[in-house]
Amino acid sequence: MDNYLNIQPILYKSPTEIQEIIVPIILITQKGQFEQSAFPKALEKPVNHAFLKNKAEVFTIADHQYRFLAIIPEHEAECLRNTGALVYKALQQKQVSGANIEGLNLLSEEHRLAFLEGMFLSSYCFHKHKTKAETNKISIHINSNDIPEEKYNELISLVDAVSITKNLVNEPLNYMDALVFTETAGLLSEEFGFEAEVFHKKKIEDLKMGGLLAVNRGSEIPPTFNIFRHQPDNAVNKKPMILIGKGVMFDTGGYSLKVGGTMSGMKDDMAGGAAVLGTICAISANKLPYYVIGLVPATDNKIAPDALVVDDIITMMDGTTVEVQNTDAEGRLVLADALTYATNFDPELVIDIATLTGASAAITGSLGIAMTGNDPSSMNKLTQSGEYVYERLFQLPFWKEYGDMLQSDIADLKNVAGPVGGASTAAKFLEHFTHYPWIHLDIAGAAFIKETRGYQQTGATAVCVRLLYHFIKNKCIHD
């Protein structure tokens, strides 16, 4: 699968290996570097101002050839990522075809990787459906003395996985339905080396996955239940970590129809499922010694004569009866069956990822992820990973009373509780189907953005791939 990156990184050992005309990208981490170098005097004031304001800047010098000065006054990972993005945008604006990075050795290894990560991530452009797309890549030459090859390869694999995840979410339904998602996952499993298994509709019916089947009733495309397994021989854990992703390929709201323009962009309602698949790709590519299983129930939510309607009562895989009070609260129905199925693996931890509620998006906007769960230790560690990769987590209130709001007069549960605490009551619904350590991540606000920000482009963000990769990698080291 094309990663749609407009950068071609090239690792070299000697400058004599570079066979093209390139321009220098010069990293300036201290004012003294600028003062001791032969740069135009006119830049002295803006460079000093950047250091004074502690703000990263990129300046373009156009004399006998372009030179790009990246001013890096603040040495934190996210600052370095955003500086990398600024450099890429400057190169793109000047239509540079090749560049060499000078001064990476002035940074710590962690910050060198963060700078490159931001540059690479910012070069993503989903142009598959453009008839006249710009496909020229900028070759970025990196001295192998500055980056250990193992770390470089790990970064490239992670960026590729992020890009693949974005591709899955950016594709519209007529190119990415449940069956195509399953087919794509099969191809990725061959490429990255994990196992992929699929349950089609007959098997789903045999398992009595009533939530997934109910949501699928309005669709002409049958549902799939996808199982991805990364189980290396040297795994440090015996019980698997399970990642569950909401795979609603498009959400019309069903008969509780989305109105007022809110249906646009609902191709992103499978962003949780895409993140699970992308994370499995990343950990498999880099051979992390951790046993991880991904579960993605996939369907779309449409309207048809036999579609689910309000007041229907359905029976879930675990036998729980649910009174449907809103067909646009479908994500929790498909996730509930996956949470029940996860019990078969006796998991050490289950993390579900879903664009679940507008209520969570109202809290975090696109700046973070709403979180609940029953495993404080794992939640704290995941929060630390979120701070590092800058996919930050905000813990929602999870009081018993939110669960009480879901009680039904005629069934075991209702699928919605009303306008109060919508993100928390949705999570309480999911909690009913969990009997193991569990974390819930509501990515409704962060999964898809309308304006480019730093190294993120308009459209899919692949949120949670870098978060979960960092979290799992740390568990490989510390567990």
Side-chain angles (χ1 to χ4, degrees), residues 107-122:
L107 302 169
S108 68
E109 181 182 288
E110 173 190 328
H111 291 152
R112 296 174 207 179
L113 290 165
F115 175 83
L116 294 174
E117 181 182 29
M119 181 182 286
F120 297 165
L121 289 173
S122 66

Side-chain angles (χ1 to χ4, degrees), residues 356-377:
L356 203 65
T357 65
S360 77
I363 295 169
T364 65
S366 63
L367 300 175
I369 301 164
M371 175 178 67
T372 54
N374 62 16
D375 186 347
S377 176

